[in-house]
Every structure is written in C-alpha cells, then in structure tokens.
Amino acid sequence: MTDSPDSHAVLKARHRDLAGRNTQIDMTRGKPSPEQLDLSDGILTIVGPDDCSGADGTDYRNYGLGTGTPEAKAFFAEYMEVTPKEIIVGGNSSLQLMYDTLAGAVLYGLPGGDGPWGKVAGGAKVLCPVPGYDRHFAVCEQLGLEMITVDLGDVGPDMDRVAALVADDPAIKAIWCVPKYSNPTGIVYADAVVDRLAAMKTAAGDFRILWDNAYNVHHLGGGIAPLKNILAACRAAGNADRPIMFGSTSKITHAGSGIAVIAASEANIADLTAKMAVATIGPDKINQTRHVKFFGDLAGLRAHMDRHAAIIGPKFERVLTALAENLGGTGLATWSTPQGGYFVSVDVPDGCAARVVQLAAEAGIKLTPAGATFPYGKDPRDRNLRLAPTMPSLDEIDRAMDVVCTCIKLAAAEKRETE
Amino acid sequence: MTDSPDSHAVLKARHRDLAGRNTQIDMTRGKPSPEQLDLSDGILTIVGPDDCSGADGTDYRNYGLGTGTPEAKAFFAEYMEVTPKEIIVGGNSSLQLMYDTLAGAVLYGLPGGDGPWGKVAGGAKVLCPVPGYDRHFAVCEQLGLEMITVDLGDVGPDMDRVAALVADDPAIKAIWCVPKYSNPTGIVYADAVVDRLAAMKTAAGDFRILWDNAYNVHHLGGGIAPLKNILAACRAAGNADRPIMFGSTSKITHAGSGIAVIAASEANIADLTAKMAVATIGPDKINQTRHVKFFGDLAGLRAHMDRHAAIIGPKFERVLTALAENLGGTGLATWSTPQGGYFVSVDVPDGCAARVVQLAAEAGIKLTPAGATFPYGKDPRDRNLRLAPTMPSLDEIDRAMDVVCTCIKLAAAEKRETE
C-alpha cells in the first residue's frame, strides 16, 4: 500500500469524508430539470375555449378521433418523417404505446404473422441490444418475451449477429432500437445499420423493428444528428411493415403531460387502430391541440430544443470533464461522449459496477441500479453505469461526479486487493 | 287495410314524407352537447405555472406519481367513496382502465386466482347483464372472454340466475355492472342486489365485479340517486377483493380530456399498480390538477352536475313525452324512464329493432345499431333500441322522435302484414 492519492487507504478515507457531507443528489433517471420544464410553461394556458375546434369544425372537447386530430397528425407526421396516414397520435406515454403494441402482438398477433406471439411454441423472443433501456426490458419480461442480448457498438447493434439470429429463428419476433442518442450510450445508428435492419432476411413473417426514437431532436448543443428513415428504408427493401416507430414530447414539453406517437406502414396503423378502438375511448385532443399551437411548426420545436440544449449541454460537459480529469489515463473506466439524449454510459472494471453504485449511495449519490441497462437487471460483466446529468444543477453535478469518480477508483482498488 | 292514422299505407306515406326532408340528426352515442362542454371551458386555462406543484413541493410537470397526485387521489377517493389508498387516478379513459384490467387478468391473472385467465381450460367467461354497454362487450370479445347474458331488471341483474351461475362454474370470472343509471335502461341497483353480489358464493377464487359507475353523479334534475357502496358491502361479506370500481369525468368536464379512476381493495390496487408501472410512464398530472382546482370540492362537482342536468333533463323529457304521446297505449313499445345517465331504452315488438334503425336512417336519423346493447351485437329478440338524447338540440329531438315513433309504428305494421 502506498500513500499515492489513488491508494486504497487514501480512497477509503476520501470516501468516508464524502459520505460525511450529507449530500443527497439523484442521478438515477432521465428527468428534465425544473429550468427545462419552465421552457414549456406557456403550453399550460395556450388553448382556450376558442381554440378547441378543428379546421372542419370538429369539437375537440368531445369524443371522437381515436387516432388523433388532423392537425396533430400533420405536425407529428412531419416530426416522424412519415405521412399523416402513417401515424397515430396518442396519449401522454410512448411507453404505453410500446407496451400496448407488444401486448397486442402477444394476445392477437400482427400483420404478416401466423397468430398471437403468446402461442409461439417455446415462446417468442426479442433481440435486445445492450446496454439498453430498462423499461423496454421490463415490458418484455412482464409479457413473457424471452430476451436475447446483442452488443450495441458505436454505430448500432452487432449486425452480423442480429442478421444471423433473425434469419435462423422464426421465434425471434422483434428487436428493440433506440436509434438516435441511444439510451444509455448516446450512439446514433449509421445509415448502413439502418439499411441492414431494413433488408435482412427474417425467419418470422411478422418480425418488427421497435424503433423508439425517443431522442429524435434532443441534441446537446451541436445540432440534431441525422438518422436514416427506417420506414423508407424498409419500404425500399420490400419490408414496409417491419418497423414500428415511437416518439414522444415527454422530454420536449412537460414530462408526463406530453404527446406520444406511433408511426408505421398503413397496414400496421390499421391493425393498431383496430386494437385501440376497443381498448380506449381515444386520446386527449385538447392536449394535442396545446402542443400544435405551442410549437407552431417544426422550426418552432427545433428552436425550443436549442433552448433545452443550452441548459443541459453544460451539464453533460461537466460530467465528461470530471470523468476525463479523474479517470482519464487510469485504465479504470471508458465512457461515451454523447451528442444528444439523456445519459452518459460508463464502463468500469468487470465486477465493480454494483459496488460503485453501493459506495455512491453511501455518499448520498443515487445512481441507476447496476444491471438496469441489461435484460432481467443482470449485467453479465457487472461493469456498466448509467449517469443521468439533466436533473441536478451544475454544482450538484460537480459534487456528484467527485463522489462517482472516487467510488470507481475505490471499487477498483478493493477488487485489486481481493485478486 | 284502413285509413286510420296508423295504417300501413298512411305510415308508409308519412315515412316517405319524413325521409324527403333531408334531416341529419345523430342519436347514436352518449356524447355531451356543446352547451354541456361549455360548462367546463374554465378548466382549459385554470392551471398556470404556479399551480403545478403538490403540497409537498413535488413538480407535477415532471415524471413520477404513477397512480396519481395526492390531491387527485383525495378528491376522487371521496367521489368514489373509498380511501386514497384504494384508488388509482389514471389518464383520460376509464375504458382503457377496464381493458387494461381485463387484459392483465387474461395475461397474468388476478389476486385470489390460480393464474392467467387466458389459460383457463375451455376459456374464461364473463356475465353480461343485458341490455348493456356495447364497449364492455367489445372488450370481452377482443380478449376472447366468452359472454353469458343475464337479464337486467328494474333493480339490477337477475340475481337468482347470477348466483346459480357463479356458484357452479369456476370459469365464470366476472360480471359487468353499470350500477347507477345503467346503460341503456337507466336503472339503479337496489341495496339488496348489491348485498347479494357482495355475498354470493363464487366458484372462482378471483371472481370480479366490474363496477362501471360511469354515471355516479349524472342525474337529470331530480338529484343524485343513492347507491350502496359495493366495496364496503363486499368487505363486510369477507370478499373485499371482489369489486373493481371504475369512474370518469368524461361526461362531467370535457369528453376525451377527463380523468379516469379505479377504486378497489388495497390488494387489487397493489396488483394493478405493479402491472401499470411496467405498461405506462404514468398519468397526466397537470390534467389531474386542472380537475381538482376546477371543482374545488365534491360540492363544487355536484353543483356542476346540476348545471348539466338543467341542459339535458329537458331533452330526456322531450323524448319521453314523444314516446308517451305517440306510442302510449298502443302496445307497440315499452321504455325506460331514467332518472340519470345518457340513454333511454326502448323495446319494440320482437323482430322489429333492426328494421326501425334502418327506417330511421332512411329518414336521416342515426340510431345506435340494433343489437349493440347485446354481446356480439346480437339481440336475440331484435327488439331493443337505445336512444341518446344529449347531443341533439330540443328542436332536433322533437324532429328525431317524430321519425323514430313513426318508424316503430311502420316496422310493427310491416311485421303484422307478414304474419
């Protein structure tokens, strides 16, 4: 043991000191900060009694229009880069649209298939690029869909493995994708990946790409990254019914009071619409109207996202700076440098992630549970951490990252001692 | 054939005359009228930036509180006559809560049961008092739940038959009830019916009463009818987990932009909460806050319903007056005299309902399709019509009822000729 600043003893003392400061900072989830939410306060009262009718006179205060108002469809079709016939504008939760889509597949099946996924011999399976989004995995787990992991690289999933798996096994019915500013690594799918996903041969006739474009416009200051249109690519490859695209304004306006959308081929939209017609009375059209009026047009939405970026971009910079200053060149961690989205992904030495989360909690820093970015909550190498910088203030981030970096070093030192 | 005003020839000529007037009136669905919707226009802008926090400082513009805000829970618990621990305040559609409850039962099962309803040998079954609500039936049909009809009388379902069925068959898992101002007959369940439903022996351990109290406060001018509390009655009988109660403000504020709730035992609420935590990001808390602020308290809500009654009460009177004046004493029709709700139910001679709907359509009056008030859309006697008086104006109702009564007489005359 030495007295170097990174010796086990020094790190332990440093951790004890940090734990004594009564800090309470939450970096677990991708929640917008109050300052971000303030940007959208105008939406609260923007729609009054004179704004509740459609261009054709339809009263949006009443029942009807189960797939959204024409104005909302036009707006969000442009947002999702599809036609108004290829979109359903729903309620406030894209997770609900994803769950309902998969639950509907399990119970009733999807176009191109041969029945409910719940009746597939041996069970239907879903490909899960990892690390990924815990709520996607929770939906699959609840619905009894077996998850098969594939590695997520810098430009998308390991396509050689994906293509081999889907070509071979008709029980593999879908793949989850967060194609832009991926949760948690922040990567953007390359055009070549989109093209391979669109064109690959699948043993299942009703194979679906679950395209959760949650961060479509959520850049960090460098502008919105381009992403090849998966529906257009699939259509060009003769597989128009393959993708189901999801989007939402949860991290654009007010989280929980936003608008969620599905975009897909007209055949898929017809199938989903028929299922939804039985399962719900329809979406909140007043809230759709609020969003259309608040943004005005897509340029207005993009300008709004620039204001978000001005708030959260510096927070990401602080996280990345702290990682570089404390862990750069140590070999103890690698991390993503996202250009958008809500997370920084950090890989620590194998077997250390859960311990880092525990040590950080002892020092008042709540991190996403280790393993959350993998199916069934189990990171096979116990190495991935997900940091969510948007909610804390800049000062809180500095304090939190001081703790996180110390905990990574300490966990690695502990591991060295036991080896 | 005679020349009496009700002869076939005279009726046919009269129908032809009515059909030539280019009338277009829709009496198909229970939609609030624009004047009713105007009553709630204040809710649109009532919540501004200063109203978006809970008493404990929680920011309702952000994620969280998947089962509703504390304020909304307190308000709607009083509305549903339960405690705040016995309620989930959800999104805008009680139909969605009902669908999700049953879909969750089919996929995963419910407390007290022995597995998913979808795995019940021979298929799970649901009792459906008839005439009833078409959307309840559509949910069962889509989920593959077999529907068994029982007659709905003046104080509730035929309880001798219900009790015998549920005692005998463990595959019978639930019964639909619209206990107050039933859709479509407007009846209110008697205390003795509530008590029998609560206490009856059921072969299924997870039998559920699906208590759709959609019209809890929706009187027509004579004040709100009392209804015995089904949860209290079930608890007293040792069957606390039996009822799942639903409610909504769809016909209180703006249809489609309201608040839907589930009330049930804490065990049921825990089960439903766990399922919802995976399936949705949570409800729109801002819209919940709008409702709480708009009403203030339950007295405020009740005063609001008096204003609805002042608008729709006279419409129901016009319908009932037209029926009495045109069909009273003819033996051609019997009808309900509702004290609340959204419908008048009319029974015409057997085999005539579909023809009446067709004849009315020819004269520009859209009625709910015959059979809609029965499972699978099939009224075995083809005799039930559902009239929805709320949407048309008083003048339109007079014109529509002129047509409807003429069509009933004409259909009966046609039937007599063929007999």
Side-chain angles (χ1 to χ4, degrees):
Chain A
M1 200 175 287
T2 79
D3 284 314
S4 91
D6 285 353
S7 75
H8 190 165
V10 171
L11 288 165
K12 207 165 164 180
R14 170 109 184 100
H15 179 261
R16 198 180 307 117
D17 172 48
L18 289 167
R21 294 185 190 178
N22 199 23
T23 307
Q24 295 292 338
I25 300 170
D26 190 332
M27 291 185 84
T28 55
R29 295 219 74 97
K31 291 169 85 165
S33 64
E35 294 72 25
Q36 288 177 270
L37 296 167
D38 291 347
L39 295 175
S40 300
D41 277 351
I43 204 170
L44 291 167
T45 52
I46 202 167
V47 163
D50 294 336
D51 306 304
C52 293
S53 294
D56 65 353
T58 302
D59 191 338
Y60 292 162
R61 303 172 305 172
N62 219 323
Y63 291 113
L65 295 175
T67 57
T69 71
E71 293 81 4
K73 283 190 183 184
F75 182 86
F76 286 104
E78 190 181 355
Y79 177 81
M80 298 294 282
E81 301 177 13
V82 299
T83 70
K85 289 184 175 180
E86 293 167 336
I87 202 158
I88 295 171
V89 185
N92 69 319
S93 169
S94 61
L95 181 64
Q96 184 163 26
L97 296 179
M98 294 179 224
Y99 175 86
D100 287 348
T101 298
L102 283 180
V106 168
L107 284 165
Y108 318 117
L110 290 179
D114 44 16
W117 291 11
K119 305 238 159 136
V120 170
K125 304 167 197 167
V126 173
L127 298 187
C128 298
V130 289
Y133 179 35
D134 53 350
R135 287 182 182 269
H136 289 165
F137 304 151
V139 167
C140 285
E141 190 172 353
Q142 174 146 315
L143 287 167
L145 298 166
E146 185 188 333
M147 290 178 270
I148 300 173
T149 59
V150 295
D151 289 333
L152 185 71
D154 291 340
V155 293
D158 176 345
M159 283 307 301
D160 288 341
R161 189 162 140 75
V162 168
L165 285 164
V166 300
D168 187 52
D169 186 351
I172 298 179
K173 293 290 195 180
I175 183 170
W176 281 113
C177 299
V178 182
K180 193 189 283 189
Y181 311 134
S182 176
N183 176 352
T185 65
I187 66 111
V188 180
Y189 281 34
D191 289 0
V193 170
V194 174
D195 284 334
R196 272 191 87 177
L197 284 166
M200 65 189 181
K201 292 219 182 331
T202 66
D206 54 353
F207 182 86
R208 289 296 183 275
I209 298 168
L210 304 166
W211 197 251
D212 182 6
N213 202 0
Y215 309 108
N216 187 16
V217 292
H218 303 56
H219 68 93
L220 293 173
I224 299 169
L227 173 68
K228 186 154 184 174
N229 184 322
I230 187 73
L231 180 57
C234 286
R235 183 169 288 131
N239 298 314
D241 295 340
R242 181 173 292 180
I244 302 185
M245 306 149 80
F246 303 93
S248 97
T249 69
S250 289
K251 295 183 180 79
I252 298 177
T253 57
H254 290 155
S257 303
I259 300 296
V261 299
I262 296 186
S265 71
E266 289 187 47
N268 277 325
I269 293 295
D271 174 68
L272 293 162
T273 299
K275 289 168 178 166
M276 288 171 63
V278 172
T280 172
I281 208 75
D284 183 339
K285 298 181 293 294
I286 300 290
N287 205 37
Q288 294 187 357
T289 305
R290 282 188 194 102
H291 280 73
V292 172
K293 190 170 177 198
F294 182 66
F295 296 126
D297 55 22
L298 214 51
L301 184 149
R302 290 199 190 102
H304 185 75
M305 295 315 292
D306 290 344
R307 293 188 279 273
H308 277 284
I311 295 170
I312 66 174
K315 296 185 178 186
F316 278 74
E317 275 182 32
R318 293 285 181 105
V319 169
L320 295 168
T321 300
L323 289 168
E325 287 180 355
N326 289 283
L327 296 167
T330 65
L332 295 179
T334 57
W335 53 88
S336 62
T337 304
Q339 305 302 309
Y342 263 61
F343 303 102
V344 175
S345 176
V346 182
D347 281 336
V348 296
D350 286 12
C352 286
R355 179 62 178 154
V356 171
V357 172
Q358 183 191 13
L359 288 167
E362 290 169 10
I365 309 301
K366 270 179 82 173
L367 299 180
T368 308
T373 54
F374 285 77
Y376 312 106
K378 282 180 189 143
D379 176 356
R381 296 175 62 177
D382 184 26
R383 67 166 181 168
N384 187 246
L385 299 174
R386 188 184 78 168
L387 305 178
T390 53
M391 187 68 179
S393 66
L394 288 171
D395 174 62
E396 286 174 329
I397 287 175
D398 290 342
R399 285 150 58 207
M401 289 308 297
D402 189 7
V403 171
V404 168
C405 292
T406 300
C407 294
I408 290 171
K409 288 179 185 174
L410 178 53
E414 288 174 353
K415 189 193 171 202
R416 275 196 304 274
E417 296 239 325
T418 62
E419 278 172 356
Chain B
M1 197 175 287
T2 77
D3 284 313
S4 90
D6 286 354
S7 74
H8 191 164
V10 171
L11 288 166
K12 207 166 164 181
R14 168 111 185 99
H15 179 261
R16 200 179 305 120
D17 173 48
L18 289 166
R21 294 186 190 178
N22 199 23
T23 306
Q24 293 292 339
I25 300 171
D26 190 331
M27 291 185 85
T28 54
R29 295 218 74 96
K31 291 171 85 166
S33 64
E35 295 73 24
Q36 288 177 270
L37 297 167
D38 290 347
L39 295 174
S40 299
D41 277 351
I43 204 169
L44 290 167
T45 52
I46 201 167
V47 163
D50 295 336
D51 306 303
C52 293
S53 294
D56 66 352
T58 303
D59 192 336
Y60 294 161
R61 303 172 304 173
N62 219 323
Y63 291 113
L65 297 174
T67 58
T69 72
E71 294 82 5
K73 282 189 184 186
F75 181 86
F76 285 104
E78 191 181 355
Y79 176 81
M80 297 295 282
E81 301 178 13
V82 299
T83 70
K85 288 184 174 177
E86 294 166 337
I87 201 157
I88 295 170
V89 185
N92 70 319
S93 170
S94 61
L95 181 66
Q96 184 163 27
L97 296 178
M98 295 180 223
Y99 175 86
D100 287 348
T101 298
L102 284 180
V106 167
L107 284 165
Y108 318 118
L110 291 179
D114 45 16
W117 292 10
K119 304 239 159 137
V120 170
K125 303 166 196 168
V126 174
L127 298 186
C128 298
V130 288
Y133 179 35
D134 53 349
R135 287 182 182 268
H136 290 164
F137 305 150
V139 167
C140 285
E141 189 172 355
Q142 175 147 316
L143 286 167
L145 298 166
E146 185 189 333
M147 291 178 268
I148 300 174
T149 59
V150 295
D151 288 335
L152 185 71
D154 290 341
V155 293
D158 176 347
M159 282 308 300
D160 287 342
R161 188 160 141 78
V162 168
L165 284 165
V166 300
D168 187 52
D169 186 351
I172 297 180
K173 293 289 195 181
I175 183 171
W176 281 113
C177 300
V178 182
K180 192 188 286 189
Y181 311 134
S182 176
N183 176 351
T185 65
I187 67 112
V188 181
Y189 281 33
D191 289 1
V193 170
V194 174
D195 284 333
R196 273 190 87 178
L197 284 166
M200 65 188 182
K201 292 219 183 328
T202 65
D206 54 353
F207 183 86
R208 289 295 183 277
I209 298 167
L210 304 166
W211 197 251
D212 182 6
N213 201 359
Y215 308 108
N216 187 17
V217 292
H218 303 55
H219 68 93
L220 292 175
I224 298 169
L227 173 69
K228 187 154 182 174
N229 184 321
I230 186 75
L231 180 57
C234 286
R235 184 171 287 129
N239 298 315
D241 294 341
R242 183 173 291 182
I244 302 186
M245 305 149 80
F246 302 92
S248 98
T249 69
S250 289
K251 293 182 181 78
I252 297 177
T253 55
H254 290 156
S257 303
I259 300 295
V261 300
I262 296 187
S265 71
E266 288 186 47
N268 277 326
I269 293 295
D271 173 68
L272 293 163
T273 299
K275 288 168 178 164
M276 287 171 61
V278 172
T280 170
I281 207 75
D284 182 341
K285 297 183 293 297
I286 301 291
N287 205 36
Q288 294 187 357
T289 305
R290 283 189 194 101
H291 280 74
V292 172
K293 190 171 178 198
F294 181 66
F295 296 127
D297 56 22
L298 215 51
L301 184 148
R302 290 199 190 102
H304 185 74
M305 295 314 293
D306 291 343
R307 292 188 279 274
H308 277 284
I311 295 170
I312 65 175
K315 296 184 178 186
F316 278 75
E317 275 182 32
R318 294 285 180 103
V319 169
L320 294 168
T321 300
L323 289 168
E325 287 180 354
N326 288 285
L327 296 168
T330 65
L332 293 180
T334 57
W335 55 88
S336 61
T337 304
Q339 305 301 310
Y342 263 60
F343 303 102
V344 174
S345 176
V346 182
D347 280 337
V348 296
D350 286 12
C352 286
R355 180 61 179 154
V356 170
V357 172
Q358 183 191 13
L359 288 167
E362 290 169 10
I365 309 301
K366 268 179 85 172
L367 300 179
T368 308
T373 54
F374 286 76
Y376 311 106
K378 283 182 189 143
D379 176 357
R381 296 175 62 178
D382 184 25
R383 66 166 181 168
N384 187 245
L385 298 174
R386 187 183 80 168
L387 305 179
T390 53
M391 188 68 181
S393 67
L394 290 171
D395 173 61
E396 285 174 328
I397 287 175
D398 290 341
R399 283 151 59 206
M401 289 309 297
D402 189 6
V403 170
V404 169
C405 293
T406 299
C407 294
I408 291 173
K409 288 179 184 174
L410 178 54
E414 289 174 352
K415 190 192 170 202
R416 275 196 304 274
E417 297 241 326
T418 62
E419 276 172 359

